[in-house]
Amino acid sequence: MNATPRIGIIGAGAIGGFYGVLLARAGLDVHLLLRSEYAHVAEQGIQLNSSVLGNLTQKVQAYQHASDMPKCDWLLVCAKTTSNSELAPLISQVAAQGGKVLMLQNGLGIEDELRPLLPESLHLLAGLCYICAHRSSPGVVEHQALGNMNLAYHSGPELTAEDRQQLLEQGAELFKQAGVDCGILANLAQARWQKLVWNAPYNGLAVLLNSHTKALMLQADSRAIAGEIMQEVIDAATACGYQMPNNFASKLLAATDRMPDYWPSMYHDYALGRPMELHAIYAVALAQAKAVGSPMPRTQMLYQSLLYLSQQAAH
């Protein structure tokens, strides 16, 4: 691996901003591609207000156009899944030959859908982030808790199992240099289903019920709905051949009890009039569950309700 790999970040919202600040503060060569917030970030940097790390302000190498960025050895894609088809040309333009493209996004089917749009020379990986953070204003990230992640490999030029593992270890080491607890996963599809067990109920219910996680957990009916949707996702994942941890729904409910008041990312997208990630978080899972005969009626109803809200907001 290059002694000083160049790291690019596409999208500097909550996720891109958080990891971008930590990687840059660790002395790594970080380059951020932004759109609407470019002028602000280029002048003032990114402000990270963290309940864990304190308040930090970090100057960054920012770009408004992909054509101005240098080729990057590692490329972190932190934009919403709703824009992935538009991002593919930017990824192809910014990634170095043989570069590693790391998708830091929620949902299912992300890499499968993006792979045909990318050059075969690029390695495609996933980063599953476990973090409570949101962007409160241009260039400002509010970090409430967590921040660890796991990496998994999807596809790319032919590698031996040993070389693939080494590549993942190289990626994990970059984040560890930045103080991020980063592990490696053997089965990407299983990991994405496992993360969906939390994302499916809380993202949608936060929008539908206009509530943060603490309120959802304190009310018996909303808590029960969250647990029932979790179990539907677990059952669907199991039917698809992916083993979930024992008593997983109960463990996640207990973990959510311990979390700070948190408004999931889909709530912020809806509140700000941005497209919600309904395809990656709901539609793909429902289609895969249907294909193996695993019913998800509560998840289906939640998805249809969110579709209605999305269509109403568009009018």
Side-chain angles (χ1 to χ4, degrees), residues 57-124:
T57 299
Q58 179 66 40
K59 288 286 189 177
V60 295
Q61 301 177 87
Y63 306 83
Q64 192 172 20
H65 306 290
S67 57
D68 296 331
M69 283 184 70
K71 297 289 187 180
C72 297
D73 306 299
W74 285 84
L75 191 60
L76 281 53
V77 179
C78 307
K80 296 292 184 179
T81 57
T82 50
S83 61
N84 276 1
S85 60
E86 303 167 16
L87 292 177
L90 300 180
I91 293 171
S92 302
Q93 186 173 3
V94 174
Q97 179 75 13
K100 280 71 70 176
V101 179
L102 183 60
M103 307 300 294
L104 303 186
Q105 297 178 325
N106 284 325
L108 299 182
I110 295 163
E111 295 79 18
D112 292 340
E113 295 178 6
L114 186 62
R115 178 75 262 182
L117 305 178
L118 298 180
E120 294 180 1
S121 64
L122 297 181
H123 297 277
L124 186 57

Side-chain angles (χ1 to χ4, degrees), residues 9 16 57 79 92 129 147 218-220 268 270 288:
I9 298 178
T57 299
S92 302
C129 308
L218 287 174
Q219 211 280 338
H268 292 286
Y270 178 69
Q288 291 187 20

Side-chain angles (χ1 to χ4, degrees), residues 134-148:
H134 68 278
R135 185 181 62 83
S136 58
S137 61
V140 181
V141 176
E142 310 292 339
H143 172 229
Q144 294 172 268
L146 305 174
N148 58 303

Side-chain angles (χ1 to χ4, degrees), residues 208 270 276 278 301-315:
L208 198 62
Y270 178 69
M276 294 183 284
L278 302 183
M301 182 174 290
L302 180 57
Y303 171 56
Q304 290 175 313
S305 300
L306 294 167
L307 279 177
Y308 171 83
L309 291 177
S310 178
Q311 292 162 3
Q312 288 297 109
H315 293 152

